[in-house]
Amino acid sequence: MLGNHDRRRAFAEVFPEFAAGFRQGRHSFGGTDVLYLDTLDEQARDRHSGHLCIEHLDWLKTQLETGKGPVIILSHHHILHSGFDGMDAIHLRNGTEVADMIAASGRCQMVINGHIHRIIVSSYRGVTHVMIKSPCHQMPMVLGSGASSLSVAEPGGYGVLLLDPISPPLHHVDVDLPECPIAFDAES
């Protein structure tokens, strides 16, 4: 799953077994298909927004039309708007088209993104969209205007997804709590 901090050439040097230029994929776990999207757009003028080209959109459409079981989609870039203007300026540029395709399939249980480095949950046409924290720095809780490069030293985290054909829970685990002294009165 490539995102805005990745570079295709460096990725191919480390993982030569993957097809050149195409880093999307599908893994089946029981009856659930997990699709991961390559949203990296190295040609983006802002150098950080994502895009699914025609080839990647066709691949996604085929995957959604193939099979009958539930689907979970993983994507670095967020597809829907978050309320963080700086980050929304560098989201998946054709996100509405992608979200419409996903919803129309009737198979997707959840879309999970990173990119913003904050836990955000929303819904679009009956599909749950979740953004999760980064294991390193986080986006400060400053809605509205603000740069995409803002960062705050809050605990990092990761998600643990339990696949379930009816209702897959996504758990969040905080890691690396920042060191800070806690003062309390032991006698009260």
Side-chain angles (χ1 to χ4, degrees), residues 6-185:
D6 301 308
R7 296 296 168 252
R8 291 186 195 287
R9 176 178 282 162
F11 185 88
E13 288 173 6
V14 175
F15 301 103
E17 66 273 16
F18 290 102
F22 197 73
R23 311 286 187 234
Q24 298 194 151
R26 173 179 135 186
H27 291 286
S28 295
F29 299 93
T32 301
D33 288 333
V34 176
L35 308 178
Y36 52 96
L37 305 179
D38 175 352
T39 60
L40 173 61
D41 182 3
E42 290 182 301
Q43 308 308 313
R45 296 174 83 191
D46 56 40
R47 299 191 61 214
H48 290 285
S49 61
H51 186 261
L52 284 183
C53 66
I54 297 295
E55 180 184 13
H56 290 148
L57 285 171
D58 289 345
W59 178 87
L60 177 58
K61 184 176 182 184
T62 298
Q63 297 303 312
L64 291 169
E65 291 173 349
T66 303
K68 297 185 187 319
V71 170
I72 301 285
I73 295 178
L74 309 175
S75 166
H76 175 81
H77 287 88
H78 59 295
I79 294 172
L80 304 175
H81 288 273
S82 67
F84 293 104
D85 294 350
M87 293 304 296
D88 288 341
I90 59 171
H91 76 304
L92 188 68
R93 289 190 315 279
N94 54 341
T96 302
E97 177 184 3
V98 173
D100 284 338
M101 181 187 298
I102 291 168
S105 76
R107 293 184 60 209
C108 188
Q109 293 177 305
M110 189 181 308
V111 177
I112 304 170
N113 310 108
H115 196 50
I116 296 183
H117 300 207
R118 176 144 307 273
I119 297 173
I120 303 170
V121 180
S122 63
S123 179
Y124 181 78
R125 295 183 49 203
V127 177
T128 301
H129 289 251
V130 180
M131 296 173 218
I132 61 175
K133 284 183 169 184
S134 161
C136 58
H137 64 91
Q138 308 311 314
M139 181 73 180
M141 190 61 200
V142 180
L143 295 173
S145 63
S148 64
S149 60
L150 297 176
S151 178
V152 64
E154 289 181 357
Y158 62 90
V160 176
L161 176 66
L162 302 179
L163 298 177
D164 181 274
I166 307 298
S167 179
L170 176 63
H171 297 271
H172 181 78
V173 180
D174 280 330
V175 296
D176 194 28
L177 295 173
E179 289 186 32
C180 62
I182 298 175
F184 64 94
D185 183 356

